[in-house]
Amino acid sequence: MVKTTVQLGPLTLQNPIVTASGTFGYGVEFADYLDINKLGAITLKSVTLNPREGNAPPRIAETPSGMMNSIGLANHGIDVLMDSILPKLEAFDRVKVIANIAGHSLEENVELAKRLDQVDRVDAIELNISCPNVDAGGLAFCQDLPMVSRLTKAVRKVTLKPLIVKLSASVPDIVALAKTAVESGADILSLINTIPGMDVDIAKKALFFKRGSAGLSGPAIRPIALKAVYDVAQSVDIPIIGMGGVASVEDVVKFLLVGADAVSVGMMNFVRPSLSGELVDQLSAYLVASGETLSTLKLKA
Amino acid sequence: MSQRKQIQIGTVVGQSEVAANTFIISIREPQLVRQVKPGHFVNVSLPSRTNANLLKRPFSIYGTDKEAIQILYKVKGDVTTVMTTLQKGDEVELLGPLGNTFTLPKKKKVLLVGGGIGVAPLIYLYDRLKAHNEVKILHGVRTRQEAMVWANLPVQTHVDEEVGHYVCAGFEKVIRQHEAQHVVTCGPIPMMKEIVEASARAGVSCEVSLEARMACGFGVCLGCVIETKSGYKKVCSDGPVFDGALLW
């Protein structure tokens, strides 16, 4: 039996396969398709203090090798998450649960972190400062380094749980952004979020999405994600959860080779709902067949 | 533990063009045939597709034939264009059955109204209603070329350009003529809206089946929502069948 346990700072995962926020619901929706208890961790859909209806449709468009979304952080709010959803995850005792918070302000994120800090079933908190589909907060945070610092420090202060900061690659200097998050108290970095893009409705002579911009994800952004993880891994010493278009075990290995410590599956959960579970088995098989271990998966000097 | 759902590989058993740019494809997948009910849809992808088209495409069920499901589809884009080239023995990926189902009334006069390719799920519904109800089907098409030949089915075809108005025009009168007690419709949104409103005026229940672009098909991506009187609802898992009164 090959060893697959990974240590992400204070967070221990039974294997490095994670699911990305917004692509895996609250985990339970996928229980029909795979044993979610075999995953390293699942990341819950972003939560805000109050319920959010989300953006007006259309909300998605297919692109070559990917898709764009403009969901707008639609969610039931923190009360429903804590009272009705998290208890359903009690039955899954081996998979770690990462709660993703996406408050529109510093104060909202602090309040969310305080509330989730009290919940045993939450193993880590991911601070989403990189959603491109909202008017306040989201990606705007990532583009303001002093804000990233204040936000990360403020959330850090109110929780003892492992703190993950989720970064966007749509910034002038992702390394500077990563360093800011690390210096401000992040335990783990996750990257990348979707990339702002656009589509046009020719018949209507109008932008396809009501907000104009939408977030591009899927294999189309994988090369960008690999470079972002590579660049950040060269510059910071804390663990990285890499993501962006992961569709196969080869993609998982690529992210591990460029410096990720765990790898998250995103859009492809929609295309093949059983994929993340299959990747757990395929990664073990890859390690056995190649004679590698997770710690030897490094680029040659 | 219950059996896990997974993507099934179905095998094409036949395909034919039944009207202009309109095809019926039969795909063998016994497990799906055992589970499917009227109103359900399946998410389809073609393994021979290029990597460029990753998302599955939702199709309603037109019927079942032994161990095969039948899909009635119209060529609209890249994926349906490739679909027309599939031949006996070719494989497709199927995820389903997905979504909710139509109400199955008993001992009622039921009127089914399909607009264009929207007639597809209504034919399957007819098949399950006919034994216990008096069912009629109206099929509205724009041109004669789009009209289909309906063997052994009580379908009245309405060709818009010949009649001079859409199938839904003055629909309250149509409901009265047929003495319909329940209406089910699937087609373009403006058509369904008129039919829902006419049904409400006539005091008759009306169900609609919607379609939407979707990424997952099982309630997770939140990409397929439609605005209803009680907020956004997911076409894939709250629907695709809705009580018309909830929508308009």
Side-chain angles (χ1 to χ4, degrees):
Chain A
M1 188 71 181
V2 60
K3 181 176 174 290
T4 55
T5 311
V6 286
Q7 195 64 41
L8 304 181
L11 182 66
T12 310
L13 308 185
Q14 60 183 341
N15 64 63
I17 304 298
V18 180
T19 60
S21 182
T23 67
F24 208 68
Y26 299 101
V28 287
E29 298 93 327
F30 279 76
D32 282 345
Y33 297 98
L34 74 152
D35 176 11
I36 62 174
N37 216 11
K38 75 193 281 187
L39 301 174
I42 59 174
T43 312
L44 309 182
K45 171 128 193 74
S46 291
V47 67
T48 51
L49 271 187
N50 297 312
R52 279 179 66 100
E53 276 258 278
N55 294 336
R59 288 181 170 186
I60 59 166
E62 192 175 45
T63 72
S65 304
M67 64 177 282
M68 282 189 291
N69 86 75
S70 178
I71 308 299
L73 302 179
N75 78 96
H76 303 297
I78 185 77
D79 291 337
V80 173
L81 178 69
M82 289 178 65
D83 299 342
S84 314
I85 297 169
L86 283 167
K88 288 185 197 161
L89 288 168
E90 294 288 347
F92 305 94
D93 55 342
R94 292 198 302 278
V95 63
K96 293 294 162 72
V97 172
I98 302 169
N100 178 295
I101 61 173
H104 72 280
S105 65
L106 184 146
E107 294 74 20
E108 184 177 358
N109 282 306
V110 166
E111 182 60 26
L112 289 164
K114 267 189 198 166
R115 299 276 303 273
L116 291 166
D117 186 63
Q118 306 300 313
V119 185
D120 286 344
R121 183 57 279 211
V122 172
D123 297 293
I125 294 175
E126 182 174 65
L127 177 60
N128 178 0
I129 55 169
S130 44
C131 174
N133 295 326
V134 288
D135 292 328
L139 183 54
F141 284 145
C142 247
Q143 290 163 341
D144 178 353
L145 294 187
M147 185 64 195
V148 170
S149 178
R150 284 201 300 278
L151 198 53
T152 308
K153 283 178 181 165
V155 170
R156 171 77 290 170
K157 226 181 265 178
V158 298
T159 180
L160 293 171
K161 291 194 189 285
L163 177 60
I164 305 166
V165 177
K166 185 165 182 180
L167 308 180
S168 171
S170 301
V171 292
D173 184 352
I174 194 170
V175 170
L177 172 64
K179 284 181 173 169
T180 302
V182 174
E183 286 159 9
S184 308
D187 296 307
I188 302 161
L189 298 176
S190 61
L191 57 147
I192 60 174
N193 207 320
T194 62
I195 293 172
M198 191 174 265
D199 200 5
V200 181
D201 185 326
I202 298 173
K204 291 183 182 164
K205 289 189 180 176
L207 298 182
F208 180 80
F209 292 103
K210 297 240 165 48
R211 298 185 73 259
S213 167
L216 176 64
S217 63
I221 69 167
R222 192 190 306 136
I224 298 167
L226 285 168
K227 180 172 188 303
V229 170
Y230 175 87
D231 289 346
V232 170
Q234 300 286 312
S235 317
V236 304
D237 286 329
I238 68 169
I240 294 172
I241 302 173
M243 70 191 89
V246 171
S248 67
V249 69
E250 288 79 14
D251 298 335
V252 172
V253 173
K254 285 180 188 178
F255 274 93
L256 294 172
L257 282 170
V258 296
D261 299 277
V263 180
S264 209
V265 183
M267 176 214 163
M268 292 303 288
N269 288 315
F270 301 147
V271 176
R272 189 170 179 83
S274 53
L275 177 65
S276 55
E278 291 161 7
L279 291 177
V280 170
D281 298 332
Q282 290 168 5
L283 180 61
S284 291
Y286 177 88
L287 294 174
V288 170
S290 63
E292 301 276 358
T293 67
L294 288 173
S295 48
T296 60
L297 281 179
K298 290 192 170 66
L299 293 176
K300 285 187 180 168
Chain B
M1 183 175 289
S2 64
Q3 193 179 10
R4 291 202 190 285
K5 293 184 194 171
Q6 51 187 315
I7 291 170
Q8 304 290 343
I9 305 296
T11 309
V12 174
V13 291
Q15 159 142 254
S16 57
E17 186 166 9
V18 292
N21 277 326
T22 308
F23 294 76
I24 293 174
I25 188 167
S26 296
I27 304 166
R28 187 179 178 279
E29 214 299 277
Q31 192 177 322
L32 184 57
V33 171
R34 280 196 296 276
Q35 296 171 340
V36 73
K37 295 189 172 73
H40 277 145
F41 68 97
V42 285
N43 244 345
V44 178
S45 65
L46 316 179
S48 52
R49 73 193 185 281
T50 65
N51 256 332
N53 286 119
L54 289 169
L55 299 182
K56 293 184 170 49
R57 297 297 191 270
F59 291 95
S60 60
I61 306 290
Y62 169 74
T64 61
D65 181 19
K66 299 190 186 88
E67 296 191 317
I69 59 154
Q70 296 176 313
I71 293 169
L72 174 71
Y73 69 97
K74 188 160 190 170
V75 178
K76 293 270 181 173
D78 294 348
V79 173
T80 43
T81 300
V82 174
M83 220 161 144
T84 64
T85 67
L86 292 178
Q87 295 181 350
K88 195 173 175 183
D90 286 346
E91 293 183 337
V92 298
E93 289 184 1
L94 301 167
L95 184 66
L98 300 169
N100 66 357
T101 56
F102 289 116
T103 304
L104 300 178
K106 279 192 175 163
K107 295 181 183 170
K108 286 206 169 159
K109 290 187 177 175
V110 181
L111 190 53
L112 310 180
V113 193
I117 200 68
V119 76
L122 303 181
I123 301 302
Y124 186 35
L125 176 62
Y126 166 78
D127 190 55
R128 297 301 162 96
L129 288 183
K130 63 186 179 191
H132 303 286
N133 301 274
E134 195 179 312
V135 190
K136 284 180 182 146
I137 307 170
L138 285 179
H139 185 212
V141 292
R142 261 169 295 184
T143 65
R144 177 59 56 185
Q145 289 71 39
E146 293 166 292
M148 293 172 61
V149 176
W150 302 100
N152 306 321
L153 288 174
V155 179
Q156 187 184 324
T157 300
H158 174 109
V159 182
D160 298 343
E161 66 177 14
E162 289 174 6
V163 184
H165 61 74
Y166 294 122
V167 67
C168 53
F171 198 74
E172 220 178 314
K173 209 163 119 191
V174 180
I175 293 173
R176 295 228 170 81
Q177 274 168 5
H178 290 272
E179 297 174 338
Q181 297 165 294
H182 182 60
V183 176
V184 185
T185 180
C186 181
I189 294 269
M191 179 200 98
M192 291 190 289
K193 185 168 184 281
E194 285 209 27
I195 289 173
V196 165
E197 288 168 352
S199 302
R201 286 195 298 272
V204 171
S205 57
C206 181
E207 277 185 338
V208 304
S209 177
L210 300 180
E211 71 170 351
R213 288 171 191 270
M214 53 185 70
C216 69
F218 48 94
V220 174
C221 75
L222 311 183
C224 66
V225 296
I226 176 137
E227 193 163 9
T228 73
K229 288 173 185 170
S230 44
Y232 289 131
K233 297 284 178 198
K234 293 175 269 190
V235 169
C236 73
S237 56
D238 297 321
V241 178
F242 290 90
D243 177 359
L246 181 71
L247 299 171
W248 300 294

